[in-house]
Amino acid sequence: MENILDVRNLNVTFDTYGGVVHAVRGVNFSIKKGETLAIVGESGSGKSVTTKAIMGLVAKPSGKISEGEILFDGKDLAKLSDKQMQKIRGKDISMIFQDPMTSLNPTMKVGKQVMEGILLHQKVSKQEAKERAIELLDLVGIPNPEARMNQYPHQFSGGMRQRVVIAIALACNPKVLIADEPTTALDVTIQAQILELMKEIQQKMDMSIIFITHDLGVVANVADRVAVMYAGKVVEMGDVDDIFYNPQHPYTWGLLGSMPTVENESEKLVAIPGTPPDLLHPPKGDAFAARNDYAMQIDFEEQPPMFKVSDSHYAATWLLHEDAPKVDPPTVIKKRMEKFSKGGDRV
């Protein structure tokens, strides 16, 4: 199956008073039709900036795509003007943001906000747009959608507001949906409902989803493939089973070790020591070296390439070099890998 979206050697920089911040550094990934790719990592790893670059939403003039290609539907989105991107944004590629209250206009009725994109991108009458908006609100599980079309965002609960935002994102049947931590502001019960809703809609519409999160528990439930980002780079990429059953990068080990599990509440969580590097001055070698208990001299001198683990699994760590010493994951990670491989829940 062909890739619907191809990101190649993407670099995004921001000019600041302190200098140039290299927020995204040589990112590569692709996504196929109907597939869900999760991008995970700590805050500041470059997840949101990467997807905002795809949407053409990098803050200008300070921010820019300094290098790379974003190939979609025969076009390089990195080379399109703002006016050209307006025809794609919301129609072919849509985005759900983290906080629905900052995405919705508090002074505009919900129905009008759902209709806005339909009227902009599709040649339909106002009545047809209204009927489509009612259908969408019903699709995302809002009861009595016809009456609620005339209500304002403050009259909806947090979970219902997020459903409205999803309805807006789906208004023009996009080929790719980008979800930027869409459940972070919601409680656990509502979070599960929203994730289930997104999976159902994806199957109905055969849509590709890029799901940004720092929560590996969410990843386990929604993703087909996972890209682990650190300091503006993808450090590990694989199928969801590769990442949970056979992680290779020490940073991925750290993320898995810091994830609480339901089965063993007494199990100690492992914190990743230190802090991410300053991307005003990116490190010469592996950006994770200073926080890595397994770092070798070469980690401080040279960035590792992406080593192939399997046809679906790649990791950028010198530990995979043929001359590197054999290193096993920490005990807590090995226990979790064994639990996962025996069919235990990942969350």
Side-chain angles (χ1 to χ4, degrees), residues 182-196:
T183 58
T184 301
L186 307 175
D187 65 57
V188 177
T189 307
I190 304 301
Q191 181 184 82
Q193 290 174 10
I194 295 294
L195 293 176
E196 192 58 39

Side-chain angles (χ1 to χ4, degrees), residues 94-170:
S94 282
M95 193 163 184
I96 303 168
F97 294 95
Q98 184 170 339
D99 183 359
M101 270 313 267
T102 58
S103 302
L104 296 170
N105 185 334
T107 66
M108 190 186 292
K109 289 178 181 178
V110 158
K112 193 172 180 182
Q113 295 188 58
V114 179
M115 289 168 61
E116 201 170 28
I118 302 168
L119 291 168
L120 179 66
H121 292 294
Q122 298 180 356
K123 294 177 181 177
V124 296
S125 67
K126 205 166 184 180
Q127 182 58 34
E128 287 172 315
K130 183 180 178 181
E131 289 168 6
R132 172 67 176 150
I134 292 168
E135 283 175 19
L136 285 163
L137 291 177
D138 185 47
L139 178 69
V140 298
I142 291 180
N144 199 9
E146 199 160 350
R148 305 214 75 176
M149 286 272 289
N150 295 312
Q151 294 183 332
Y152 292 90
H154 73 269
Q155 294 174 281
F156 288 72
S157 67
M160 286 296 173
R161 282 196 291 264
Q162 194 62 292
R163 288 171 187 265
V164 171
V165 171
I166 293 171
I168 293 170
L170 297 175

Side-chain angles (χ1 to χ4, degrees), residues 205-314:
M205 301 177 69
D206 199 19
M207 180 176 58
S208 304
I209 295 178
I210 299 175
F211 203 101
I212 306 166
T213 183
H214 60 269
D215 186 343
L216 279 168
V218 169
V219 170
N221 288 320
V222 302
D224 299 306
R225 286 191 304 128
V226 183
V228 181
M229 282 191 75
Y230 181 75
K233 284 181 154 302
V234 174
V235 297
E236 188 159 4
M237 169 79 76
D239 292 342
V240 68
D241 287 348
D242 294 328
I243 301 303
F244 279 91
Y245 299 163
N246 189 30
Q248 296 294 318
H249 199 286
Y251 179 60
T252 312
W253 296 347
L255 291 179
L256 288 166
S258 63
M259 181 179 76
T261 61
V262 174
E263 287 184 2
N264 192 352
E265 293 178 3
S266 63
E267 191 177 90
K268 186 180 178 182
L269 298 182
V270 181
I272 304 173
T275 56
D278 181 0
L279 294 182
L280 273 169
H281 308 286
K284 182 181 176 184
D286 183 350
F288 191 60
R291 306 173 73 186
N292 183 3
D293 292 336
Y294 309 95
M296 300 173 285
Q297 187 60 38
I298 192 171
D299 284 299
F300 295 93
E301 297 170 356
E302 196 174 334
Q303 290 184 18
M306 272 287 192
F307 289 97
K308 182 177 179 179
V309 182
S310 70
D311 288 342
S312 62
H313 191 186
Y314 295 82

